[in-house]
């Protein structure tokens, strides 16, 4: 279950005037490697990854406002989503050469794309240092297509219902590696599905465990001159890291979803699906009393790394009806892409090393 809080903040930034001119001095400020001798630069092979920067950083690194805005729109706006230097249309020739020589535009490589029977797509991306992450594209009949992005390779939370959690934490994704998932989604699927309208940070990893890069990536996604997702349609989900949660609410204008999975600390210490009675529904009503939110009910999606089984549909409907009768806004979210292991809780490939399953408390063994 996820209780989704409404976004608290709003902000915007207007476009700068356009004026294109480059200089060696600007190159050195943007690309510190240029200050080193040519042999050292060649040996290090160092290039700046542009998608690691937000718009203010492009300006601070030496670009004039017009240059920064034109490059920003090539990366994220104007339906360009540039991945190669040939796609940097409209830039001054010298400025484009500087970018070509000293910057990379691409953070991920597509390894494979799997198509589920319901139209869902799962993209497997290879990272530069070897690991693979998974991103899910979920088309909908109501002019809405959602991308589910990953924020880590694996996850340290070890939630007992989640396949990704079996991996343990392998790596935090960088800002560029997170943003690039949305860029690829628009490049690959805008023609087929129409506009990619929604983003959910519900893929591999606990987003708030990687809060610095998630905050920055989310800000790039909602930038009005760039990818321009609506802040209300970018949702970051968390298992409940409280200090980071407070920071997110203070610094981000995007939506927040809290994954409850249970309504008592006893059960949250050893996660179990709701499959026997309505006591959790009644406690949930008390927990969210007075909090403006909507509640998403998500069934467990089976995989080889868990002991759980999905809750019967009739039980989920009964649970939803109890919440609705109390005046709460509650939705049953249908699983998508489960035949390609693309549904919620099914992403990743644990391999030989896996985190241990937690001991089942005696009082809950009957539920299994």
């Amino acid at each position: 279950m996820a209780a989704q809080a409404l976004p608290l903040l709003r902000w915007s930034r207007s476009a700068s005037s356009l004026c294109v001119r480059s200089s060696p001095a600007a190159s050195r400020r943007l690309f510190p490697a240029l200050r080193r001798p040519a042999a050292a630069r060649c040996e290090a092979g160092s290039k700046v990854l542009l998608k690691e920067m937000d718009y203010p950083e492009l300006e601070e690194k030496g670009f004039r406002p017009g240059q920064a805005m034109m490059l920003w729109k090539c990366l994220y706006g104007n339906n360009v989503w540039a991945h190669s230097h040939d796609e940097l249309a409209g830039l001054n020739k010298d400025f484009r050469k500087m970018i070509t020589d000293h910057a990379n535009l691409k953070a991920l490589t597509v390894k494979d794309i799997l198509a589920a029977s319901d139209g869902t797509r799962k993209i497997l991306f290879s990272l530069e240092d070897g690991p693979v992450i998974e991103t899910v594209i979920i088309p909908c009949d109501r002019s809405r297509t959602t991308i589910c992005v990953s924020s880590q390779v694996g996850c340290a939370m070890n939630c007992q219902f989640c396949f990704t959690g079996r991996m343990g934490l392998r790596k935090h994704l960088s800002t560029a590696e997170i943003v690039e998932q949305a860029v690829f989604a628009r490049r690959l699927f805008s023609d087929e599905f129409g506009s990619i309208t929604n983003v959910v940070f519900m893929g591999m990893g606990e987003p708030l465990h990687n809060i610095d890069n998630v905050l920055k990536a989310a800000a790039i996604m909602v930038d009005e001159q760039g990818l321009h997702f609506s802040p209300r349609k970018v949702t970051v989900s968390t298992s409940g890291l409280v200090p980071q949660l407070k920071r997110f609410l203070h610094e981000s204008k995007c939506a927040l979803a809290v994954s409850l999975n249970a309504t008592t600390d006893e059960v949250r210490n050893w996660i179990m699906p709701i499959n026997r009675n309505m006591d959790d529904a009644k406690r949930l009503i008390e927990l969210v009393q007075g909090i403006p939110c909507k509640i998403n009910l998500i069934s467990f999606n089976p995989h080889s790394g868990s002991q759980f089984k999905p809750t019967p549909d009739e039980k989920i409907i009964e649970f939803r009806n109890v919440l609705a009768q109390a005046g709460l806004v509650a939705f049953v979210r249908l699983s998508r892409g489960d035949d390609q292991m693309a549904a919620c809780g099914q992403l990743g490939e644990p391999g030989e090393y896996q985190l241990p399953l937690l001991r089942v408390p005696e009082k809950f063994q009957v539920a299994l």
Side-chain angles (χ1 to χ4, degrees):
M1 292 177 292
Q4 183 174 345
L6 299 178
L8 302 180
L9 305 173
R10 295 286 184 272
W11 61 269
S12 64
R13 176 171 64 240
S14 59
S16 305
S17 59
L18 295 180
C19 173
V20 180
R21 187 178 302 167
S22 61
S23 68
S27 300
R28 287 190 293 273
R29 288 194 297 273
L30 176 61
F31 308 113
L34 291 181
R35 300 187 185 122
R36 302 199 303 271
R41 294 201 306 269
C42 181
E43 180 179 345
S46 56
K47 282 192 174 185
V48 171
L49 187 53
L50 291 179
K51 291 189 177 76
E52 280 297 313
M53 302 184 217
D54 57 22
Y55 182 73
E57 286 176 318
L58 285 182
E59 292 186 303
E60 291 171 4
K61 293 293 185 181
F63 285 135
R64 300 185 181 188
Q67 293 175 330
M69 181 54 66
M70 290 188 73
L71 179 58
W72 189 256
K73 285 184 174 292
C74 285
L75 295 175
Y76 302 119
N78 296 339
N79 295 333
V80 178
W81 312 307
H83 266 165
S84 70
H85 301 95
D86 293 337
E87 296 173 329
L88 297 177
L91 297 187
N92 172 280
K93 182 176 67 173
D94 292 336
F95 182 35
R96 184 189 297 186
K97 186 178 187 306
M98 181 180 73
I99 297 297
T100 301
D101 291 343
H102 305 294
N104 285 325
L105 308 185
K106 201 172 168 186
L108 302 173
T109 301
V110 175
K111 179 181 180 181
D112 200 1
I113 299 177
L114 305 178
S117 58
D118 61 9
T120 299
R121 303 290 198 278
K122 181 166 78 169
I123 313 174
L124 279 65
F125 289 112
S126 296
L127 308 186
E128 185 176 345
D129 53 350
V132 174
I133 61 169
E134 299 180 3
T135 304
V136 180
I137 313 297
I138 309 169
C140 181
D141 294 336
R142 300 188 299 274
S143 299
R144 183 186 76 215
T145 297
T146 299
I147 173 176
C148 178
V149 301
S150 295
S151 56
Q152 296 175 314
V153 179
C155 183
M157 299 299 107
N158 198 19
C159 294
Q160 297 295 283
F161 53 83
C162 181
F163 197 44
T164 309
R166 311 302 310 129
M167 298 175 64
L169 178 62
R170 311 283 175 88
K171 174 188 172 181
H172 292 307
L173 295 188
S174 68
T175 297
E177 290 165 340
I178 298 172
V179 170
E180 187 88 317
Q181 296 173 65
V183 173
F184 259 110
R186 286 192 165 169
R187 282 181 66 99
L188 294 173
F189 295 109
S190 289
D191 289 343
E192 181 177 358
F193 297 140
S195 179
I196 310 293
T197 57
N198 293 51
V199 181
V200 292
F201 283 74
M202 299 180 184
M204 299 169 65
E206 160 57 60
L208 296 192
H209 192 199
N210 186 18
I211 188 167
D212 290 335
N213 291 331
V214 165
L215 282 172
K216 190 173 179 181
I220 292 172
M221 289 178 184
V222 301
D223 186 277
E224 292 180 350
Q225 304 301 326
L227 290 172
H228 200 189
F229 286 99
S230 166
R232 292 180 62 88
K233 295 183 178 180
V234 175
T235 301
V236 175
S237 177
T238 178
S239 60
L241 302 183
V242 176
Q244 293 91 330
L245 190 154
K246 291 179 179 178
R247 179 182 167 191
F248 175 85
L249 292 175
H250 179 71
E251 296 183 21
S252 179
K253 53 187 175 177
C254 297
L256 176 71
V258 180
S259 182
L260 294 179
N261 303 297
T263 57
T264 66
D265 286 336
E266 181 183 20
V267 179
R268 276 180 65 86
N269 287 338
W270 179 82
I271 303 299
M272 64 170 288
I274 299 165
N275 61 0
R276 292 191 298 155
N277 56 60
M278 293 297 110
D279 291 342
D280 275 307
K282 296 172 184 177
R283 284 191 292 265
L284 180 58
I285 293 168
E286 295 177 1
L287 281 174
V288 301
Q289 194 71 36
I291 300 175
C293 65
K294 68 178 181 182
I295 296 169
N296 292 324
L297 303 176
I298 303 173
S299 178
F300 169 72
N301 295 298
H303 54 80
S304 61
S306 176
Q307 310 169 71
F308 299 127
K309 297 179 180 179
T311 302
D313 291 345
E314 60 270 19
K315 281 290 186 182
I316 297 177
I317 297 300
E318 183 182 355
F319 192 97
R320 190 274 313 273
N321 290 343
V322 172
L323 300 180
Q325 289 166 8
L328 300 181
V329 179
F331 301 93
V332 177
R333 297 299 187 192
L334 301 179
S335 295
R336 298 290 302 272
D338 55 330
D339 60 335
Q340 289 290 350
M341 290 291 287
C344 184
Q346 292 184 326
L347 302 186
E349 181 53 59
E352 293 184 5
Y353 170 78
Q354 299 185 22
L355 292 184
L357 289 172
L358 300 182
R359 184 183 66 84
V360 181
E362 184 176 352
K363 66 182 296 184
F364 297 132
Q365 289 178 4
V366 66
L368 298 176

